Structure formats: C-alpha cells, structure tokens
Amino acid sequence: MAASFVVGLATGVFAFPKDVIFPAGNLSAQKIDFCVPCDTIHLERATTYQPTIEQCDSTPFSTASGAKINPYNYQKWCAISRDLHTRYGGEFDFGDTLEIYSKGHPNLNGQWVVQDLMAPKYKMSIDFLLETEKNYPKLGVGKDCKIIMCGEL
C-alpha cells in the first residue's frame, strides 16, 4: 500500500496512485480508469491499550510477535483478535500494515502495524497501542472502525 492512498467516496472506498492530481471540482464526477476498489472489514470493537501489567501480562513491553515496545518512543502498533491472525485462520500476520479508518475517531486513521494479539475472548477486534496522554479523546470501545484492504496498483 506504500504506493497508493485511500479515498472514501459516497459509492465506496478506492485506492489511487500517490502521483495522481485531481482537478478541482466534484471528484465523484471525474472518470478515473485506474482506481482499485477496496474491501473493508468492519470491526466489532476497537480499543486502546498501554503496556502495563494490568492491561497486558507480566511482560507488558514484549509483544506476541517478539517486538519490544520502547516506552519512550511508541510506534503505531496494534494488537488484533486471534480470529484475524493467520495463525488462527485470519488474513493478517505480524508485521502486516493495516490501513484503518474511523469516522468517529479520526486520530486512529492511517497505518498501524500488527505486533500483538488480543485475549482469546475477543473476536473481530483491534487494540491500538497509545501513550496515555495521546489517548484523547478517550476511545472507550469504538464501533465504527474498519480495516481497508486494497489490491496492488
């Protein structure tokens, strides 16, 4: 996805090459022959977490992928529910970059890297690693989060 960007239109979500320049005016009225329709996965829940023993386990700075969380420089990492992980029959693996879209929580929009797994009780869920001071407004349990998956351009 590094060579494209994602645009939401009334008719759906599409990916375009980064070097495309759209003329001023109504984007939906333009004929664009090389856009790629994107699939979306609508998540049941989206939450945030911090690397603490209360929220994780006895080794909160170690992720399921083996990556270590730097408490002084957080990366845009996320944990996904096990049903979304390839080890359990899902589509995503550790190190995959997910394009996230949330209308209600635009601070979550963008690319997040899968580095961790959520507890087995969660399904169709994502947990974003955020510093406490950057978790504002507090997400709680978000219900409008989507993973956008686009084909190669």
Side-chain angles (χ1 to χ4, degrees):
M1 177 131 6
S4 65
F5 64 92
V6 175
V7 175
L9 301 173
T11 58
V13 178
F14 297 88
F16 301 95
K18 277 189 176 179
D19 58 354
V20 171
I21 299 173
F22 295 106
N26 184 352
L27 176 62
S28 62
Q30 304 298 322
K31 182 175 182 343
I32 302 170
D33 294 327
F34 49 85
C35 65
V36 178
C38 299
D39 291 325
T40 58
I41 296 176
H42 299 268
L43 298 168
E44 292 178 11
R45 62 182 284 127
T47 51
T48 61
Y49 75 105
Q50 289 78 43
T52 63
I53 291 174
E54 297 78 28
Q55 294 185 35
C56 299
D57 58 18
S58 61
T59 57
F61 292 101
S62 296
T63 66
S65 70
K68 303 292 184 205
I69 297 169
N70 179 344
Y72 304 105
N73 184 23
Y74 281 37
Q75 303 294 315
K76 285 187 75 172
W77 289 354
C78 64
I80 56 174
S81 55
R82 293 165 195 251
D83 59 324
L84 296 173
H85 195 276
T86 55
R87 184 185 303 169
Y88 302 96
E91 297 185 45
F92 308 108
D93 201 355
F94 296 127
D96 285 352
T97 299
L98 307 181
E99 186 73 35
I100 302 297
Y101 176 75
S102 171
K103 184 177 181 180
H105 301 281
N107 59 316
L108 299 177
N109 293 347
Q111 296 183 340
W112 294 79
V113 178
V114 176
Q115 292 290 6
D116 217 344
L117 292 174
M118 297 175 73
K121 66 182 178 180
Y122 297 108
K123 304 285 184 233
M124 295 300 291
S125 300
I126 192 166
D127 208 2
F128 300 99
L129 176 65
L130 283 180
E131 297 172 74
T132 305
E133 57 273 6
K134 291 187 179 175
N135 190 16
Y136 184 83
K138 189 161 177 60
L139 175 61
V141 178
K143 299 285 187 180
D144 74 337
C145 211
K146 302 173 188 174
I147 299 173
I148 300 170
M149 303 181 318
C150 298
E152 293 298 318
L153 297 176

